[in-house]
Amino acid sequence: MVTSSSTIKAFGSIIVRFSNGFSLRPSSSCSYHRTGLLSTKLTSFSCYSSGSWVSFCGLQNDTSKRKIWTSTPLCMGRRSCKIAGRKTTQDAKKAKLYARFGKEVVSAVKKGGSSPVSNTTLAALFEKAKELDIPRDILDRNIKRASEKDQEAYIEKFYEVYGYGGVGIIVSVLTDKVNRSVAAIREVVKDCGGKMADSGSIMFKFKRARVVNIKATETDKDQLLALALDAGADDVIEPSVDEDDTEGDSESYYKIVSSMDNYPVILSKLREEEITFETDNGFELLPSTFIEVDDEAMDLNKELMARLLELDDVDAVYTDQK
């Protein structure tokens, strides 16, 4: 089968210039025709400029067509992908915290009015905002929202779910539409292969506590244990080890467990020592024992919990999965 020598030379020149990083900006597509069995056409071959890949080239004939396309990579390496993932996770946590706090403000105003002087619940939320570093505009916006006629008070609900491998999952919800919330949760649980549990069948395995989270990479273990003991903490939970993280890139946290009353004391101690920390969203549910499952069940449970957290009414998801 014979093709035009000029076609081969033109195509070879493009490959050489492309590999050397030169920009190709043809004003129009180049076509080369030969009478006979093969009719060859070279089209839209342009495309490297200032580090951005747009497209490569297509070589087509009467019976076949081949194209190569390239695009700018989303993440430059595994570590960059993980860093981007962490930021997304942190932003999601903050959004959930602000959303739940806003709901608490609306409920407090609905029950006791918009003045923190006469409304002790609202006054406590002002103090909580300082404790959790919540912006003042979150308070003001939700106090205003509470005055709207169609805005109902929020109700706290907990829904219990069985995951894979006998794992228990608690879904924390603060909602103004209970039927809407439970319907959305049931749908996700069903889609992910979980099962709704009867009230109380899983909750007894958890205890409610205040928790401070400290990145393991930003503190000394002995210093943290001494500080927690001095501040009267109930417990310090060491970070779990991710066996799949061979590069040490995953974020792990120490958890300082405290009673409601002693929580401000621990935060004050951490600030004095200039230790960076993350607060909880008012409380956490901690399992009394953990359940270990295989890798497949673990991944399926993680997917279920991630889907639940995507729901607007869901504020937090807790599990006894190890």
Side-chain angles (χ1 to χ4, degrees):
M1 190 176 293
V2 182
T3 59
S4 171
S5 61
S6 60
T7 304
I8 297 173
K9 288 180 180 180
F11 188 74
S13 175
I14 292 166
I15 296 298
V16 171
R17 295 181 66 187
F18 184 85
S19 63
N20 289 333
F22 286 92
S23 174
L24 298 175
R25 296 178 179 271
S27 57
S28 61
S29 61
C30 299
S31 301
Y32 297 91
H33 298 275
R34 179 182 178 86
T35 57
L37 296 177
L38 179 65
S39 177
T40 306
K41 183 186 291 184
L42 187 61
T43 60
S44 59
F45 55 85
S46 59
C47 297
Y48 171 81
S49 177
S50 304
S52 297
W53 300 96
V54 182
S55 65
F56 184 34
C57 61
L59 184 63
Q60 65 181 24
N61 54 44
D62 292 339
T63 58
S64 64
K65 183 177 180 181
R66 184 178 180 184
K67 290 187 177 181
I68 303 173
W69 300 94
T70 58
S71 59
T72 304
L74 295 177
C75 297
M76 298 301 290
R78 181 181 175 190
R79 186 173 183 84
S80 296
C81 290
K82 287 194 174 185
I83 291 172
R86 289 175 197 165
K87 187 179 186 305
T88 302
T89 302
Q90 290 169 356
D91 290 345
K93 284 182 179 179
K94 188 175 291 186
K96 285 291 184 182
L97 171 62
Y98 291 173
R100 182 179 178 86
F101 186 80
K103 295 173 187 177
E104 291 177 355
V105 171
V106 170
S107 295
V109 173
K110 284 286 185 182
K111 293 177 182 177
S114 59
S115 173
V117 176
S118 57
N119 188 340
T120 55
T121 304
L122 184 60
L125 287 173
F126 271 80
E127 293 302 316
K128 183 179 177 181
K130 295 177 184 177
E131 174 189 296
L132 302 181
D133 295 324
I134 294 175
R136 176 59 187 262
D137 70 289
I138 301 292
L139 273 165
D140 296 338
R141 191 190 317 145
N142 285 283
I143 289 174
K144 183 179 179 180
R145 185 158 68 97
S147 62
E148 297 175 0
K149 293 182 179 180
D150 58 344
Q151 179 61 60
E152 300 179 15
Y154 286 89
I155 303 171
E156 185 178 60
K157 289 283 186 180
F158 295 97
Y159 298 100
E160 301 166 49
V161 177
Y162 287 117
Y164 291 85
V167 165
I169 298 171
I170 305 292
V171 185
S172 175
V173 172
L174 197 60
T175 180
D176 57 347
K177 302 289 184 183
V178 175
N179 291 339
R180 177 192 65 205
S181 299
V182 69
I185 291 170
R186 286 183 185 277
E187 183 178 358
V188 169
V189 171
K190 182 180 179 180
D191 288 346
C192 293
K195 181 182 177 182
M196 298 295 293
D198 295 333
S199 178
S201 58
I202 296 175
M203 183 64 80
F204 77 93
K205 301 178 182 179
F206 293 77
K207 66 176 182 178
R208 190 166 179 155
R210 297 302 305 270
V211 177
V212 189
N213 299 284
I214 299 102
K215 290 181 182 178
T217 55
E218 296 184 4
T219 187
D220 177 73
K221 178 182 176 180
D222 294 334
Q223 178 192 13
L224 189 64
L225 291 173
L227 183 149
L229 180 64
D230 184 53
D234 294 340
D235 193 9
V236 176
I237 302 174
E238 294 191 25
S240 57
V241 178
D242 186 354
E243 296 178 355
D244 295 329
D245 183 33
T246 57
E247 299 179 8
D249 289 333
S250 64
E251 285 192 344
S252 53
Y253 291 83
Y254 286 99
K255 288 180 175 286
I256 300 180
V257 183
S258 167
S259 63
M260 299 288 182
D261 296 335
N262 203 45
Y263 195 70
V265 177
I266 294 174
L267 297 186
S268 178
K269 289 282 186 182
L270 290 170
R271 291 190 180 103
E272 288 177 9
E273 297 296 327
E274 297 183 346
I275 297 175
T276 304
F277 60 86
E278 296 179 14
T279 58
D280 55 25
N281 63 353
F283 69 92
E284 281 191 21
L285 293 176
L286 302 177
S288 54
T289 57
F290 289 92
I291 296 177
E292 191 167 355
V293 296
D294 58 38
D295 292 342
E296 182 181 4
M298 181 180 293
D299 291 339
L300 290 169
N301 287 330
K302 285 181 179 179
E303 181 183 356
L304 168 57
M305 290 185 286
R307 288 276 305 278
L308 288 168
L309 276 171
E310 290 174 0
L311 299 176
D312 291 337
D313 288 336
V314 173
D315 297 310
V317 176
Y318 306 99
T319 181
D320 56 5
Q321 177 173 282
K322 188 173 182 180

